[in-house]
Amino acid sequence: LSNDYNLYLKRIQNHIMLFELKNIELRKEDDNLYNEYTKIQGNLIFIFQNKKHTVQQMYKYLESSDRELRKKAYETISTEKIKVKDSISDIFIKQINIRNQIAKNLNFSNYVQYKFLELERFDYTPDDCFLFHNSIKKLILPITIKFAELRKSKLNISTLRPYDLSVDIYGSNELKPFKNVNELLEKTYFVFDKINPLFTNILKLMNEKSLLDLETREGKAPGGYMMPLPETKLPFIFMNASGVHSNLVTLIHEAGHAFNHYLIRNEIIFEYNWATAEIQEVASMAMELITMEYWDVFYPNRIDFIRAQLRQFERVIKCFPWIVAIDSLQHWIYTQKEINIYKLISQWNIINDELAPYINYSNYENYKSLLWQNQIHIFGYPFYYIEYAIAQIGAFNLWINYKKDKTETIN
Protein backbone atom coordinates (compact mmCIF):
# COMPACT_ATOMS: atom_id res chain seq x y z
CA LEU A 1 0.00 0.00 0.00
CA SER A 2 1.09 3.57 -0.65
CA ASN A 3 1.86 6.05 2.12
CA ASP A 4 -1.64 7.49 1.57
CA TYR A 5 -2.94 4.60 3.64
CA ASN A 6 -0.63 5.05 6.64
CA LEU A 7 -3.03 7.16 8.68
CA TYR A 8 -5.95 4.98 7.60
CA LEU A 9 -4.20 1.84 8.87
CA LYS A 10 -3.29 3.58 12.10
CA ARG A 11 -6.92 4.53 12.60
CA ILE A 12 -8.11 0.98 11.95
CA GLN A 13 -5.59 -0.46 14.40
CA ASN A 14 -6.70 2.11 16.94
CA HIS A 15 -10.38 1.22 16.45
CA ILE A 16 -9.62 -2.47 16.93
CA MET A 17 -7.61 -1.80 20.08
CA LEU A 18 -10.42 0.30 21.57
CA PHE A 19 -13.19 -2.20 20.86
CA GLU A 20 -14.62 -3.95 23.88
CA LEU A 21 -17.92 -5.83 23.77
CA LYS A 22 -18.80 -4.85 27.35
CA ASN A 23 -18.58 -1.19 26.39
CA ILE A 24 -21.33 -1.28 23.78
CA GLU A 25 -24.12 -1.08 26.35
CA LEU A 26 -22.18 1.43 28.42
CA ARG A 27 -21.83 3.74 25.44
CA LYS A 28 -25.56 3.44 24.80
CA GLU A 29 -26.26 4.41 28.40
CA ASP A 30 -23.91 7.38 28.05
CA ASP A 31 -25.71 8.49 24.86
CA ASN A 32 -29.11 8.13 26.52
CA LEU A 33 -27.98 10.30 29.42
CA TYR A 34 -26.77 12.92 26.97
CA ASN A 35 -30.20 12.83 25.33
CA GLU A 36 -31.77 13.41 28.74
CA TYR A 37 -29.52 16.43 29.21
CA THR A 38 -30.46 17.97 25.86
CA LYS A 39 -34.15 17.32 26.58
CA ILE A 40 -33.93 19.17 29.90
CA GLN A 41 -32.09 22.08 28.31
CA GLY A 42 -34.37 22.14 25.28
CA ASN A 43 -37.53 22.19 27.37
CA LEU A 44 -36.47 25.18 29.46
CA ILE A 45 -38.93 28.04 29.03
CA PHE A 46 -38.33 31.50 30.46
CA ILE A 47 -41.22 33.85 31.23
CA PHE A 48 -39.93 37.36 30.65
CA GLN A 49 -41.96 40.51 30.08
CA ASN A 50 -45.10 38.33 30.18
CA LYS A 51 -43.92 36.24 27.21
CA LYS A 52 -42.48 32.76 26.80
CA HIS A 53 -38.88 32.61 25.59
CA THR A 54 -36.31 29.94 24.78
CA VAL A 55 -32.85 30.51 26.23
CA GLN A 56 -31.64 31.60 22.80
CA GLN A 57 -34.37 34.23 22.66
CA MET A 58 -33.36 35.45 26.12
CA TYR A 59 -29.81 36.16 24.98
CA LYS A 60 -30.92 39.19 22.98
CA TYR A 61 -31.90 40.92 26.23
CA LEU A 62 -28.36 40.42 27.53
CA GLU A 63 -27.21 42.56 24.60
CA SER A 64 -29.50 45.46 25.55
CA SER A 65 -27.95 48.82 26.43
CA ASP A 66 -30.41 48.99 29.36
CA ARG A 67 -28.43 47.55 32.28
CA GLU A 68 -31.49 46.97 34.46
CA LEU A 69 -33.14 45.01 31.65
CA ARG A 70 -29.98 42.92 31.24
CA LYS A 71 -29.92 42.22 34.96
CA LYS A 72 -33.54 41.08 35.03
CA ALA A 73 -32.98 38.86 31.98
CA TYR A 74 -29.89 37.31 33.56
CA GLU A 75 -31.75 36.64 36.79
CA THR A 76 -34.63 35.06 34.86
CA ILE A 77 -32.19 32.73 33.08
CA SER A 78 -30.25 31.85 36.22
CA THR A 79 -33.40 31.19 38.28
CA GLU A 80 -34.74 28.66 35.79
CA LYS A 81 -31.36 26.99 35.24
CA ILE A 82 -30.84 26.58 38.97
CA LYS A 83 -34.15 24.68 39.12
CA VAL A 84 -32.74 21.92 36.90
CA LYS A 85 -29.13 21.94 38.13
CA ASP A 86 -29.57 18.91 40.38
CA SER A 87 -31.09 16.83 37.58
CA ILE A 88 -28.25 17.78 35.25
CA SER A 89 -25.66 17.11 37.96
CA ASP A 90 -27.12 13.63 38.55
CA ILE A 91 -26.91 12.92 34.83
CA PHE A 92 -23.28 13.97 34.64
CA ILE A 93 -22.12 12.01 37.68
CA LYS A 94 -23.68 8.92 36.07
CA GLN A 95 -21.86 9.72 32.84
CA ILE A 96 -18.54 10.06 34.67
CA ASN A 97 -18.97 6.65 36.26
CA ILE A 98 -19.90 5.07 32.94
CA ARG A 99 -16.95 6.63 31.15
CA ASN A 100 -14.53 5.56 33.86
CA GLN A 101 -15.84 2.01 33.55
CA ILE A 102 -15.39 2.11 29.77
CA ALA A 103 -11.73 2.97 30.29
CA LYS A 104 -11.31 0.38 33.02
CA ASN A 105 -12.73 -2.35 30.78
CA LEU A 106 -9.88 -1.67 28.37
CA ASN A 107 -7.26 -1.58 31.15
CA PHE A 108 -6.59 2.16 30.89
CA SER A 109 -5.62 3.84 34.15
CA ASN A 110 -8.16 6.60 33.49
CA TYR A 111 -10.67 7.88 30.95
CA VAL A 112 -8.28 10.59 29.75
CA GLN A 113 -5.93 8.00 28.25
CA TYR A 114 -8.82 6.22 26.57
CA LYS A 115 -10.43 9.36 25.19
CA PHE A 116 -7.22 10.75 23.71
CA LEU A 117 -6.92 7.62 21.60
CA GLU A 118 -10.60 7.57 20.70
CA LEU A 119 -10.26 11.16 19.48
CA GLU A 120 -7.19 10.04 17.49
CA ARG A 121 -4.89 12.47 19.20
CA PHE A 122 -1.82 10.71 17.91
CA ASP A 123 0.37 13.81 17.87
CA TYR A 124 -0.10 15.37 21.31
CA THR A 125 -0.60 14.33 24.93
CA PRO A 126 -2.35 15.64 28.05
CA ASP A 127 0.96 17.22 29.08
CA ASP A 128 0.97 19.15 25.79
CA CYS A 129 -2.52 20.40 26.65
CA PHE A 130 -1.30 21.62 30.03
CA LEU A 131 1.56 23.49 28.35
CA PHE A 132 -1.00 25.03 25.98
CA HIS A 133 -3.19 25.99 28.96
CA ASN A 134 -0.25 27.74 30.60
CA SER A 135 0.60 29.62 27.41
CA ILE A 136 -2.96 30.92 27.15
CA LYS A 137 -2.93 31.95 30.82
CA LYS A 138 0.36 33.77 30.28
CA LEU A 139 -0.29 35.41 26.91
CA ILE A 140 -4.05 35.60 26.30
CA LEU A 141 -5.60 36.01 29.76
CA PRO A 142 -3.94 39.42 30.32
CA ILE A 143 -5.51 40.60 27.05
CA THR A 144 -8.98 39.47 28.18
CA ILE A 145 -8.45 41.34 31.44
CA LYS A 146 -7.60 44.47 29.45
CA PHE A 147 -10.78 43.94 27.40
CA ALA A 148 -12.68 43.76 30.69
CA GLU A 149 -11.17 47.04 31.88
CA LEU A 150 -12.09 48.64 28.56
CA ARG A 151 -15.63 47.28 28.92
CA LYS A 152 -15.98 48.80 32.38
CA SER A 153 -14.71 52.12 31.12
CA LYS A 154 -17.00 52.19 28.08
CA LEU A 155 -20.03 51.20 30.17
CA ASN A 156 -19.03 53.64 32.90
CA ILE A 157 -19.35 51.04 35.66
CA SER A 158 -17.06 50.28 38.60
CA THR A 159 -17.44 46.50 38.55
CA LEU A 160 -18.17 44.05 35.75
CA ARG A 161 -21.21 41.89 36.44
CA PRO A 162 -22.13 38.73 34.53
CA TYR A 163 -24.95 40.57 32.74
CA ASP A 164 -22.47 43.14 31.39
CA LEU A 165 -20.53 40.71 29.19
CA SER A 166 -22.64 40.63 26.02
CA VAL A 167 -23.72 44.23 25.57
CA ASP A 168 -21.92 45.99 22.74
CA ILE A 169 -19.58 48.59 24.22
CA TYR A 170 -19.02 50.35 20.90
CA GLY A 171 -22.58 51.58 20.43
CA SER A 172 -25.87 52.03 22.28
CA ASN A 173 -28.20 50.24 19.88
CA GLU A 174 -28.31 46.44 19.69
CA LEU A 175 -26.78 44.77 16.64
CA LYS A 176 -29.63 43.26 14.64
CA PRO A 177 -28.25 41.55 11.54
CA PHE A 178 -31.54 40.01 10.38
CA LYS A 179 -35.26 39.92 11.14
CA ASN A 180 -36.02 36.31 10.22
CA VAL A 181 -34.31 33.13 9.06
CA ASN A 182 -35.06 33.77 5.39
CA GLU A 183 -33.26 37.11 5.58
CA LEU A 184 -30.35 35.49 7.43
CA LEU A 185 -30.04 32.90 4.69
CA GLU A 186 -30.31 35.32 1.76
CA LYS A 187 -27.67 37.62 3.19
CA THR A 188 -25.41 34.67 3.97
CA TYR A 189 -25.70 33.58 0.32
CA PHE A 190 -24.50 37.05 -0.67
CA VAL A 191 -21.50 36.87 1.69
CA PHE A 192 -20.33 33.49 0.44
CA ASP A 193 -20.84 34.52 -3.16
CA LYS A 194 -18.21 37.21 -2.57
CA ILE A 195 -15.71 34.56 -1.47
CA ASN A 196 -16.54 31.76 -3.91
CA PRO A 197 -19.89 31.10 -5.65
CA LEU A 198 -19.37 27.39 -5.02
CA PHE A 199 -19.97 27.98 -1.32
CA THR A 200 -23.28 29.69 -2.05
CA ASN A 201 -24.36 26.84 -4.31
CA ILE A 202 -23.58 24.27 -1.61
CA LEU A 203 -25.65 26.17 0.96
CA LYS A 204 -28.52 26.58 -1.51
CA LEU A 205 -28.44 22.85 -2.25
CA MET A 206 -28.66 22.11 1.46
CA ASN A 207 -31.64 24.43 1.76
CA GLU A 208 -33.38 22.80 -1.22
CA LYS A 209 -32.88 19.40 0.42
CA SER A 210 -34.28 20.66 3.77
CA LEU A 211 -30.88 20.23 5.42
CA LEU A 212 -30.96 23.54 7.28
CA ASP A 213 -32.78 23.62 10.64
CA LEU A 214 -31.99 27.17 11.70
CA GLU A 215 -34.80 28.78 13.70
CA THR A 216 -35.21 28.43 17.48
CA ARG A 217 -38.46 27.00 18.85
CA GLU A 218 -39.90 25.57 22.04
CA GLY A 219 -38.57 22.10 22.88
CA LYS A 220 -35.70 22.34 20.41
CA ALA A 221 -32.33 21.10 21.67
CA PRO A 222 -29.80 23.87 22.41
CA GLY A 223 -26.65 24.64 20.47
CA GLY A 224 -25.58 24.44 16.87
CA TYR A 225 -23.69 21.90 14.79
CA MET A 226 -23.02 20.47 11.35
CA MET A 227 -23.66 16.76 10.86
CA PRO A 228 -22.54 14.88 7.72
CA LEU A 229 -25.07 12.40 6.36
CA PRO A 230 -23.24 9.29 5.10
CA GLU A 231 -26.03 8.04 2.82
CA THR A 232 -26.46 11.23 0.78
CA LYS A 233 -22.93 12.56 1.42
CA LEU A 234 -24.52 15.93 2.17
CA PRO A 235 -24.06 18.06 5.30
CA PHE A 236 -26.87 19.07 7.69
CA ILE A 237 -26.83 22.24 9.82
CA PHE A 238 -28.70 22.62 13.10
CA MET A 239 -28.85 25.87 15.11
CA ASN A 240 -31.14 28.21 17.05
CA ALA A 241 -31.48 31.56 15.28
CA SER A 242 -33.27 34.29 17.22
CA GLY A 243 -32.11 37.49 15.52
CA VAL A 244 -28.90 38.24 17.41
CA HIS A 245 -25.39 38.78 16.06
CA SER A 246 -24.07 35.46 17.38
CA ASN A 247 -26.56 33.65 15.12
CA LEU A 248 -24.85 35.10 12.08
CA VAL A 249 -21.48 33.84 13.35
CA THR A 250 -22.92 30.41 14.15
CA LEU A 251 -24.32 29.91 10.65
CA ILE A 252 -21.06 30.99 9.03
CA HIS A 253 -19.10 28.72 11.37
CA GLU A 254 -21.25 25.66 10.67
CA ALA A 255 -21.28 26.47 6.96
CA GLY A 256 -17.47 26.32 7.07
CA HIS A 257 -17.80 22.77 8.39
CA ALA A 258 -20.38 21.98 5.70
CA PHE A 259 -18.19 23.22 2.84
CA ASN A 260 -15.22 21.26 4.17
CA HIS A 261 -17.27 18.07 4.34
CA TYR A 262 -18.90 18.59 0.95
CA LEU A 263 -15.56 19.10 -0.79
CA ILE A 264 -14.03 15.89 0.60
CA ARG A 265 -17.18 13.77 0.39
CA ASN A 266 -15.88 11.70 -2.54
CA GLU A 267 -12.51 10.91 -1.00
CA ILE A 268 -11.67 7.36 -2.10
CA ILE A 269 -10.47 6.34 1.36
CA PHE A 270 -13.77 6.57 3.19
CA GLU A 271 -12.11 7.20 6.57
CA TYR A 272 -10.66 10.42 5.20
CA ASN A 273 -14.14 11.88 4.79
CA TRP A 274 -13.71 12.94 8.43
CA ALA A 275 -10.60 14.85 9.34
CA THR A 276 -9.55 15.11 12.97
CA ALA A 277 -11.35 17.82 14.89
CA GLU A 278 -8.32 20.09 15.10
CA ILE A 279 -8.39 20.44 11.30
CA GLN A 280 -12.18 20.47 10.93
CA GLU A 281 -12.43 23.49 13.19
CA VAL A 282 -9.86 25.43 11.15
CA ALA A 283 -12.30 25.57 8.21
CA SER A 284 -15.18 26.82 10.36
CA MET A 285 -13.23 29.32 12.44
CA ALA A 286 -11.34 30.70 9.45
CA MET A 287 -14.67 31.28 7.71
CA GLU A 288 -15.77 33.50 10.61
CA LEU A 289 -12.73 35.73 10.07
CA ILE A 290 -12.67 35.62 6.27
CA THR A 291 -16.31 36.68 5.93
CA MET A 292 -16.00 39.70 8.24
CA GLU A 293 -15.16 42.15 5.46
CA TYR A 294 -18.47 41.27 3.76
CA TRP A 295 -20.71 41.68 6.81
CA ASP A 296 -21.81 45.07 5.52
CA VAL A 297 -24.74 43.27 3.89
CA PHE A 298 -25.95 42.58 7.45
CA TYR A 299 -24.84 45.99 8.71
CA PRO A 300 -25.23 48.67 6.01
CA ASN A 301 -24.53 51.32 8.67
CA ARG A 302 -20.73 51.58 8.67
CA ILE A 303 -20.49 52.11 12.42
CA ASP A 304 -22.49 48.92 13.06
CA PHE A 305 -20.33 47.12 10.50
CA ILE A 306 -17.15 48.08 12.37
CA ARG A 307 -18.78 47.27 15.72
CA ALA A 308 -19.59 43.77 14.52
CA GLN A 309 -15.98 43.17 13.50
CA LEU A 310 -14.61 44.52 16.79
CA ARG A 311 -17.05 42.30 18.63
CA GLN A 312 -15.84 39.27 16.69
CA PHE A 313 -12.23 39.94 17.63
CA GLU A 314 -13.12 40.36 21.29
CA ARG A 315 -15.20 37.17 21.27
CA VAL A 316 -12.41 35.14 19.68
CA ILE A 317 -9.83 36.30 22.22
CA LYS A 318 -12.18 35.78 25.18
CA CYS A 319 -12.93 32.22 24.03
CA PHE A 320 -9.39 31.02 24.77
CA PRO A 321 -9.61 31.19 28.61
CA TRP A 322 -13.09 29.63 28.56
CA ILE A 323 -11.80 26.74 26.45
CA VAL A 324 -8.96 26.24 28.91
CA ALA A 325 -11.47 26.25 31.79
CA ILE A 326 -13.62 23.53 30.22
CA ASP A 327 -10.61 21.43 29.20
CA SER A 328 -8.97 21.81 32.63
CA LEU A 329 -12.16 20.74 34.39
CA GLN A 330 -12.43 17.57 32.30
CA HIS A 331 -8.79 16.61 32.85
CA TRP A 332 -9.33 17.04 36.58
CA ILE A 333 -12.62 15.11 36.65
CA TYR A 334 -11.34 12.01 34.91
CA THR A 335 -8.14 11.70 36.93
CA GLN A 336 -9.88 11.64 40.32
CA LYS A 337 -10.13 8.33 42.17
CA GLU A 338 -13.45 9.38 43.67
CA ILE A 339 -15.70 12.25 42.70
CA ASN A 340 -19.01 13.79 43.69
CA ILE A 341 -20.83 16.89 42.57
CA TYR A 342 -19.62 18.93 45.53
CA LYS A 343 -15.95 18.29 44.73
CA LEU A 344 -16.64 19.00 41.07
CA ILE A 345 -18.30 22.35 41.78
CA SER A 346 -15.51 23.33 44.16
CA GLN A 347 -12.90 22.62 41.50
CA TRP A 348 -14.92 24.45 38.85
CA ASN A 349 -15.07 27.56 41.04
CA ILE A 350 -11.29 27.47 41.47
CA ILE A 351 -10.76 27.15 37.72
CA ASN A 352 -13.33 29.79 36.82
CA ASP A 353 -11.97 32.29 39.34
CA GLU A 354 -8.50 31.94 37.85
CA LEU A 355 -9.61 32.31 34.22
CA ALA A 356 -12.36 34.93 34.63
CA PRO A 357 -11.13 37.00 37.60
CA TYR A 358 -12.65 40.20 36.27
CA ILE A 359 -16.31 39.14 36.69
CA ASN A 360 -18.09 39.96 39.96
CA TYR A 361 -20.58 37.16 40.69
CA SER A 362 -21.77 38.51 44.06
CA ASN A 363 -25.34 37.29 44.71
CA TYR A 364 -25.03 34.94 41.72
CA GLU A 365 -22.64 32.40 43.24
CA ASN A 366 -25.12 29.55 42.79
CA TYR A 367 -25.40 30.16 39.06
CA LYS A 368 -21.67 30.71 38.71
CA SER A 369 -21.08 27.25 40.20
CA LEU A 370 -23.09 25.60 37.42
CA LEU A 371 -21.85 27.54 34.38
CA TRP A 372 -20.07 24.40 33.22
CA GLN A 373 -23.50 22.79 32.75
CA ASN A 374 -24.10 25.13 29.81
CA GLN A 375 -21.25 23.56 27.83
CA ILE A 376 -22.87 20.83 25.79
CA HIS A 377 -19.54 19.21 24.89
CA ILE A 378 -18.98 18.04 28.46
CA PHE A 379 -22.10 15.90 28.22
CA GLY A 380 -22.12 14.82 24.60
CA TYR A 381 -18.57 15.18 23.31
CA PRO A 382 -16.14 14.73 26.22
CA PHE A 383 -12.72 16.33 25.68
CA TYR A 384 -13.76 17.71 22.30
CA TYR A 385 -13.08 21.35 23.10
CA ILE A 386 -9.37 22.16 23.23
CA GLU A 387 -9.51 21.66 19.46
CA TYR A 388 -11.24 25.02 19.14
CA ALA A 389 -8.24 26.81 20.64
CA ILE A 390 -5.75 24.85 18.55
CA ALA A 391 -7.78 25.47 15.41
CA GLN A 392 -8.24 29.16 16.16
CA ILE A 393 -4.50 29.66 15.80
CA GLY A 394 -4.66 27.93 12.40
CA ALA A 395 -7.68 30.04 11.47
CA PHE A 396 -5.79 33.24 12.23
CA ASN A 397 -3.01 32.16 9.88
CA LEU A 398 -5.48 31.22 7.14
CA TRP A 399 -7.16 34.62 7.49
CA ILE A 400 -3.80 36.39 7.24
CA ASN A 401 -3.08 34.43 4.05
CA TYR A 402 -6.52 35.37 2.69
CA LYS A 403 -5.77 39.05 3.22
CA LYS A 404 -2.58 38.60 1.17
CA ASP A 405 -3.98 36.43 -1.64
CA LYS A 406 -7.71 35.67 -1.59
CA THR A 407 -7.89 33.39 -4.62
CA GLU A 408 -4.89 31.28 -3.72
CA THR A 409 -6.03 30.84 -0.12
CA ILE A 410 -9.55 29.69 -1.02
CA ASN A 411 -8.33 27.40 -3.80
Side-chain angles (χ1 to χ4, degrees), residues 51-292:
K51 294 181 181 178
K52 290 183 177 181
H53 297 78
T54 64
V55 69
Q56 288 78 19
Q57 290 168 333
M58 288 298 298
Y59 289 155
K60 65 184 179 183
Y61 298 111
L62 297 179
E63 298 181 5
S64 171
S65 58
D66 183 338
R67 197 181 193 203
E68 189 60 30
L69 180 65
R70 297 198 306 269
K71 179 182 178 182
K72 290 178 180 178
Y74 184 84
E75 290 175 346
T76 299
I77 293 170
S78 61
T79 298
E80 293 304 313
K81 293 237 175 187
I82 287 171
K83 290 178 183 178
V84 299
K85 71 179 178 67
D86 289 340
S87 297
I88 291 177
S89 294
D90 290 343
I91 286 171
F92 189 51
I93 292 298
K94 290 177 183 176
Q95 286 188 299
I96 293 171
N97 292 330
I98 288 170
R99 292 165 183 174
N100 286 338
Q101 187 60 50
I102 287 173
K104 186 177 180 181
N105 288 344
L106 284 161
N107 297 316
F108 287 102
S109 61
N110 58 56
Y111 184 70
V112 179
Q113 293 180 347
Y114 165 81
K115 196 62 185 179
F116 264 61
L117 284 176
E118 188 189 54
L119 290 172
E120 299 179 344
R121 293 179 177 176
F122 302 136
D123 304 309
Y124 63 100
T125 67
D127 285 340
D128 291 320
C129 289
F130 299 147
L131 288 173
F132 192 35
H133 293 176
N134 290 335
S135 294
I136 291 172
K137 291 175 186 177
K138 181 180 178 180
L139 300 173
I140 305 295
L141 183 57
I143 299 175
T144 64
I145 292 173
K146 288 182 179 179
F147 270 128
E149 291 301 318
L150 174 63
R151 178 167 288 273
K152 284 197 297 183
S153 174
K154 290 285 188 179
L155 294 175
N156 194 27
I157 54 178
S158 59
T159 183
L160 202 61
R161 305 289 273 157
Y163 45 79
D164 296 322
L165 304 178
S166 298
V167 58
D168 190 342
I169 61 174
Y170 302 104
S172 58
N173 61 305
E174 299 167 44
L175 288 174
K176 297 179 179 179
F178 61 94
K179 295 177 182 177
N180 53 58
V181 165
N182 287 336
E183 183 182 351
L184 169 63
L185 204 49
E186 287 299 322
K187 289 181 175 179
T188 305
Y189 290 155
F190 178 86
V191 168
F192 286 129
D193 212 42
K194 290 282 187 178
I195 301 170
N196 190 316
L198 174 62
F199 296 154
T200 303
N201 292 336
I202 294 170
L203 203 59
K204 285 183 176 179
L205 175 64
M206 293 169 63
N207 192 34
E208 290 169 5
K209 300 289 185 181
S210 299
L211 297 176
L212 299 174
D213 184 358
L214 308 182
E215 194 164 19
T216 188
R217 57 182 178 273
E218 285 188 30
K220 187 175 182 179
Y225 57 80
M226 186 285 299
M227 182 67 67
L229 305 176
E231 188 68 27
T232 61
K233 294 186 177 181
L234 293 175
F236 167 78
I237 291 178
F238 174 98
M239 62 176 283
N240 283 272
S242 58
V244 297
H245 173 74
S246 61
N247 299 152
L248 152 65
V249 179
T250 297
L251 180 55
I252 287 170
H253 178 101
E254 301 306 337
H257 281 308
F259 302 152
N260 176 246
H261 172 73
Y262 185 86
L263 293 171
I264 63 172
R265 71 193 188 286
N266 292 322
E267 169 63 48
I268 294 174
I269 303 175
F270 183 74
E271 283 282 320
Y272 291 174
N273 278 267
W274 289 270
T276 58
E278 295 85 357
I279 296 301
Q280 287 178 344
E281 294 299 340
V282 170
S284 55
M285 290 180 149
M287 198 59 74
E288 294 178 22
L289 297 170
I290 287 170
T291 58
M292 283 196 303

